[in-house]
């Protein structure tokens, strides 16, 4: 009966997505899942739309190189010198204006929009890089929780067998009630741990669904890709300073702020336009009849006083430039901090794994000997139960350590800004906008 109960726990612990995973003939791999998560993530797609918007702003800025064409028309009553005699005045005109000089405002605005688009593209890539890490962690954590769930199920079966064995010994008169109670207690604890493992699995599955947008519809494959981890943390930092999209976006923000600052000086220069005007008027200025006029003029406009607005704008853009530099400095600190955290985990968890593996091997050797000695009556039930628990805990620790070690490696790649490149994920939508 106890064995049947253990099997019942095992069946109830398996979630529907997990059952579907093993029933499916196909399987999904980490890189494929990450690419799917990135390209369909709402945050990534939202930033991609923003990039499209900035691309339109750049097109609008480039439009300043082209002339403007305006058509005007009007009709109304005009009376001259209050004589009481008026005429119906009609006006039609077309004006073509080509700017010749604007204090380098057009050039600087185009540069600003180009840098703004670069900053947005790098920011979108940084978002994709973070989504890739989130999906990788969710994928690896789900694999680990599946292992832990399997260990919990095996533990229930093990303690169920021990309980059956102790019960049979008690019924045969060669055991005692204390041993039966001990076996029942450990069996109950194993069932409790199975429920906790199932709860952890469901939580991890929900995290997976949040990042990917759906639950896995096929089995997850253990990743086997070898990551090219730098030999030293200093090497990783140097790569990050060059490659990380967040820092490249921050540098582009500084260039944008510089262009905006340069553009603010345009109001200190005269504006020179070429204007071509053709008019067709009737009954103009009280003179009955048609009146046509053609002008081709170069006109200069130079503002001498604007209430201090131009100087204030100059000061504002200078402050924005300094602010962009400080934001870049803060982003640099955060990037280096993330790399060092990941590197420390990579180093120390790697060392820890060796000891955990040794502990698990020695515990298994001890457990094997205790099982044989218990069968011969040379080892107590408590010794056996404690060693069984120690071994299952060692297996859990090993699974968790291996997971932490792999995640630390992916976090290093994320910290350097090369995770997408490492996983061979192409952000074609970004390139399409940039090359448009």
């Amino acid at each position: 009966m106890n064995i049947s109960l253990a099997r019942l726990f095992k069946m109830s612990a398996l979630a529907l997505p997990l059952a579907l995973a093993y029933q499916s003939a196909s399987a999904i791999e980490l890189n494929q899942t990450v690419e799917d998560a990135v390209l369909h993530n709402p945050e990534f797609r939202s930033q991609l739309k923003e990039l499209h918007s900035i691309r339109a702003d750049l097109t609008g800025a480039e439009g300043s190189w082209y002339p403007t064409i305006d058509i005007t028309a009007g009709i109304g009553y005009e009376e001259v010198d209050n004589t009481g005699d008026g005429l119906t005045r009609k006006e039609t005109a077309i004006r073509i204006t080509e700017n010749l000089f604007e204090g380098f405002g057009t050039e600087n605005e185009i540069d600003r929009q180009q840098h703004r688009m670069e900053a947005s593209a790098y920011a979108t890539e940084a978002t994709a890089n973070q989504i890739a890490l989130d999906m990788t962690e969710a994928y690896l954590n789900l694999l680990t929780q599946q292992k832990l769930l399997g260990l919990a199920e095996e533990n229930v079966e093990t303690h169920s067998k021990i309980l059956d064995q102790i019960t049979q010994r008690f019924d045969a008169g060669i055991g005692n009630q204390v041993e039966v109670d001990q076996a029942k207690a450990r069996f109950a604890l194993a069932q409790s741990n199975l429920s906790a493992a199932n709860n952890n699995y469901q939580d991890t599955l929900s995290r997976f669904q949040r990042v990917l947008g759906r639950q896995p519809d096929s089995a997850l494959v253990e990743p086997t890709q070898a990551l090219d981890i730098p030999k030293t943390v200093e090497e990783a930092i140097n790569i990050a300073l060059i490659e990380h999209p967040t820092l490249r976006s921050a540098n582009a923000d500084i260039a944008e702020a510089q262009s905006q600052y340069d553009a603010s000086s345009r109001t200190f220069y005269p504006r020179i336009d070429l204007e071509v005007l053709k008019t067709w008027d009737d009954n103009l200025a009280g003179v009955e009849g048609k009146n046509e006029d053609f002008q081709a003029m170069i006109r200069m406009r130079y503002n001498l006083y604007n209430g201090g607005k131009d100087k204030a704008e100059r000061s504002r853009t200078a402050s924005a430039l300094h602010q962009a530099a400080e934001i870049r400095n803060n982003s640099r600190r955060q990037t280096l901090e993330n790399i060092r955290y990941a590197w420390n985990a990579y180093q120390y968890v790697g060392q820890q794994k060796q000891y955990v593996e040794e502990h698990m091997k020695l515990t298994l050797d001890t457990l094997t000997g205790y099982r044989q000695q218990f069968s011969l009556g040379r080892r107590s039930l408590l010794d056996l139960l404690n060693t069984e628990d120690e071994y299952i805990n060692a297996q859990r620790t090993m699974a968790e350590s291996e997971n932490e070690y792999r995640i630390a490696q992916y976090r290093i790649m994320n910290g350097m800004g090369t995770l997408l490149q490492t996983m061979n994920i192409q952000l074609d939508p970004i390139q399409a906008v940039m090359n448009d």
Side-chain angles (χ1 to χ4, degrees), residues 102-355:
E102 195 187 9
F104 310 102
T106 299
E107 295 91 330
N108 289 324
E109 178 61 18
I110 291 175
D111 287 343
R112 186 180 81 86
Q113 294 297 343
Q114 286 176 336
H115 293 310
R116 183 173 169 229
M117 186 170 68
E118 291 174 3
S120 179
Y122 286 130
T124 305
E125 183 181 345
T127 298
N129 200 50
Q130 185 58 45
I131 295 170
L133 178 62
D134 292 342
M135 188 69 258
T136 299
E137 292 185 359
Y139 187 101
L140 296 177
N141 286 336
L142 186 58
L143 277 174
T144 301
Q145 289 301 324
Q146 287 178 355
K147 294 177 183 178
L148 296 179
L149 185 58
L151 290 175
E153 293 162 357
E154 292 177 9
N155 192 39
V156 168
E157 291 185 356
T158 297
H159 283 282
S160 176
K161 293 177 181 178
I162 293 175
L163 178 57
D164 283 343
Q165 183 179 1
I166 298 301
T167 302
Q168 291 173 8
R169 290 177 56 176
F170 176 75
D171 293 341
I174 58 176
N176 55 67
Q177 185 63 43
V178 173
E179 289 184 338
V180 174
D181 293 341
Q182 283 181 335
K184 286 183 177 180
R186 295 301 176 92
F187 180 61
L189 179 60
Q191 291 173 313
S192 174
N193 290 337
L194 176 58
S195 297
N198 188 44
N199 179 57
N200 292 335
Y201 171 77
Q202 293 295 337
D203 289 345
T204 308
L205 187 64
S206 298
R207 168 70 173 173
F208 185 100
Q209 182 178 4
R210 189 192 72 79
V211 181
L212 183 60
R214 66 177 187 276
Q215 292 185 350
D217 53 4
S218 54
L220 306 184
V221 178
E222 286 275 358
T224 58
Q225 180 183 9
L227 302 181
D228 187 15
I229 305 296
K231 296 181 179 179
T232 64
V233 66
E234 288 75 17
E235 183 180 349
I237 288 174
N238 290 334
I239 294 175
L241 294 176
I242 298 174
E243 298 292 339
H244 202 288
T246 297
L247 297 182
R248 300 179 78 173
S249 177
N251 289 330
D253 283 335
I254 293 177
E256 177 199 347
Q258 180 65 58
S259 297
Q260 189 175 32
Y261 175 75
D262 295 339
S264 67
S265 65
R266 70 185 182 277
T267 54
F268 296 99
Y269 294 90
R271 176 187 174 96
I272 300 176
D273 296 310
L274 170 64
E275 294 184 1
V276 177
L277 176 66
K278 173 66 177 179
T279 63
W280 297 268
D281 300 326
D282 284 333
N283 303 332
L284 188 65
V287 179
E288 188 173 1
K290 295 184 178 296
N291 189 328
E292 295 187 11
D293 183 36
F294 175 80
Q295 298 178 16
M297 303 287 294
I298 294 179
R299 287 193 167 92
M300 182 192 77
R301 297 175 179 85
Y302 195 7
N303 175 260
L304 298 179
Y305 181 70
N306 194 24
K309 294 181 180 179
D310 300 335
K311 188 175 181 179
E313 176 65 12
R314 185 77 167 169
S315 178
R316 184 193 69 80
T317 55
S319 297
L321 176 59
H322 296 150
Q323 181 184 17
E326 295 301 332
I327 292 176
R328 189 271 313 273
N329 294 339
N330 186 59
S331 297
R332 184 177 182 274
R333 291 185 179 186
Q334 291 179 345
T335 300
L336 300 186
E337 180 185 27
N338 291 337
I339 288 182
R340 292 189 182 277
Y341 279 146
W343 189 268
N344 290 339
Y346 170 67
Q347 291 289 318
Y348 294 113
V349 174
Q351 296 175 8
Q352 179 189 21
K353 272 182 55 185
Q354 301 175 8
Y355 299 113

Side-chain angles (χ1 to χ4, degrees), residues 19-46:
L20 292 175
Y22 287 105
Q23 293 173 4
S24 176
S26 61
I28 59 175
E29 297 182 352
L30 175 60
N31 291 12
Q32 170 193 349
T33 306
V34 169
E35 183 176 19
D36 190 1
V38 169
L39 296 180
H40 295 92
N41 185 274
E43 185 178 358
F44 172 77
R45 296 172 71 87
S46 174

